[in-house]
């Protein structure tokens, strides 16, 4: 990227605005608001150690897990940014029990609904390992101007207007799609802008990375265990054995696999029969991005994006990534 030939996220969003016949600039403003919240969270993540904001708050979130301070900072950051913006009428977050109808002066007229996992991979905060933020945008179903309700949020992934993630890694990157391909932007801290660094991301059809928490394999379905064993076998043609890579932050694991090719699996386990990951906050948005980059995302039985959600905090098993790798895993699982 030449120093004088940069495209910022803001410029890129405006250039692409005409791709949406119904959009009158609100979606562009909403994406810009989200990117601002992401920059603030990135700043907080970077200074987490020195500002003593790492560590648990002592509270437990609606999923029954310990909540880290940065989760709360991220959550509050999005609520305040989106309330002020006015394009979004309702907000749902992994950190909130229920949908929140935003209370900004213009919020009721907002056309969009946003779902957020403000801090993904929170167990990695304290140890300076990559974490992320995941966002999803839907068009509301109820009439603008009225009070939004849960049906505005509980929509299938195939209704997504946009989705993206931010990975706070060795640099901060924002990757998003509006259904017309996937583009990645790297935060240049010297100018405070996300700059286009990964245009039109396509994920390889094949790969040699498998990512799952193998420590739980005693509780995995036998097909998943057989697939892992297959990944470890020697075979020149399919370049096996594959590499095992698992960070424990879905965003970071999927970001790596998206660029390099790989499969990420969170299967149903004896302890968690529906898997662990949340449909509305993690699986749908990541499925949209991976599909737009040419990959696949399925529960093993159905396409993630076709699931009609029944509740906000619903969990689903997920097999996601490079097309041929996911298909191979499913051969074992559906045997
Ligand atoms: P979150 O920090 O938002 O709760 O998400 C953690 C998720 C996901 O990022 C990751 O892939 C998975 O939990 C890891 O789970 P295990 O520790 O069970 O492997
Ligand atoms: Mn998460
Ligand atoms: Mn989270």
């Amino acid at each position: 990227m030449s120093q004088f030939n940069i495209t910022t996220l803001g410029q890129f969003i405006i250039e692409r605005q005409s791709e949406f016949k119904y959009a009158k600039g609100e979606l562009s403003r909403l994406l810009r608001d989200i990117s601002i919240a992401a920059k603030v969270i990135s700043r907080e993540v970077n200074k987490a150690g020195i500002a003593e904001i790492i560590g648990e708050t002592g509270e437990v979130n609606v999923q029954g897990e310990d909540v880290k301070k940065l989760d709360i900072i991220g959550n509050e950051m999005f609520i305040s940014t989106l309330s002020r913006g006015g394009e979004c009428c309702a907000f749902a977050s992994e950190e909130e029990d229920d949908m929140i109808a935003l209370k900004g002066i213009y919020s009721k007229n907002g056309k969009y609904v946003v779902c957020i996992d403000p801090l993904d991979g929170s167990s990695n905060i304290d140890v300076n390992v990559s974490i992320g933020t995941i966002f999803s945008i839907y068009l509301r179903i109820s009439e603008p101007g009225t009070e939004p309700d849960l049906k505005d949020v509980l929509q299938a992934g195939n209704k997504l207007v946009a989705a993206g993630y931010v990975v706070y890694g060795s640099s901060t990157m924002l990757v998003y799609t509006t259904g017309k391909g996937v583009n990645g932007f790297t935060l240049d801290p010297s100018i405070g802008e996300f700059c286009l660094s990964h245009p039109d991301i396509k994920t390889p059809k094949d790969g040699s990375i498998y990512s799952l928490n193998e420590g739980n394999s005693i509780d995995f379905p036998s097909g998943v265990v057989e697939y892992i064993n297959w990944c470890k076998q020697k075979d020149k043609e399919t370049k096996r054995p594959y590499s095992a890579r698992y960070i424990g932050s879905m965003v970071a694991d999927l970001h790596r696999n998206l660029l390099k090719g790989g499969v990420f699996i969170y299967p149903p386990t004896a302890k968690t029969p529906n898997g662990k990951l949340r449909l509305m906050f993690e699986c749908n948005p990541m499925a949209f991005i991976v599909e737009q980059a040419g990959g696949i995302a399925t529960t093993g039985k159905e396409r993630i994006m076709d699931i009609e959600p029944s509740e906000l905090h619903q969990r689903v098993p997920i097999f996601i990534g490079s097309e041929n790798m996911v298909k191979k895993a499913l051969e074992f699982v559906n045997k």
Side-chain angles (χ1 to χ4, degrees), residues 94 117 119-121 134 278 282:
E94 187 194 274
D117 178 356
L119 223 294
D120 174 67
I134 310 174
R278 299 87 170 164
E282 293 164 322

Side-chain angles (χ1 to χ4, degrees), residues 273-290:
N274 295 320
K276 176 185 181 190
L277 299 173
R278 299 87 170 164
L279 175 64
M280 300 304 296
F281 305 112
E282 293 164 322
C283 298
N284 266 338
M286 296 313 266
F288 191 24
I289 295 163
V290 167

Side-chain angles (χ1 to χ4, degrees), residues 9 23 30 45-46 50-51 69 83 91 101-102 107-108 127 150 182 186 188 214 233 235 269 282 304-305 309 311 331:
L9 176 62
L30 182 53
V45 167
N46 286 161
I50 36 176
K69 283 182 188 171
S83 299
F91 169 83
L102 293 177
S107 301
K108 243 190 197 175
V127 288
L150 192 57
V182 181
T186 303
D188 178 343
E214 218 175 323
Q233 283 161 10
D235 177 56
T269 71
E282 293 164 322
I304 295 280
M305 291 179 71
E311 50 165 333
E331 273 177 33

Side-chain angles (χ1 to χ4, degrees), residues 159-208:
K159 297 278 175 0
L160 276 165
V161 170
Y165 62 78
V166 185
V167 57
Y168 311 101
S170 38
S171 55
T172 296
M173 267 193 78
L174 187 151
V175 174
Y176 84 103
T177 182
T178 52
K180 306 243 176 343
V182 181
N183 290 283
F185 300 79
T186 303
L187 183 62
D188 178 343
S190 68
I191 56 169
E193 293 282 1
F194 282 107
C195 301
L196 183 61
S197 52
H198 295 64
D200 198 18
I201 296 172
K202 293 284 173 233
T203 196
K205 287 243 173 294
D206 284 294
S208 55

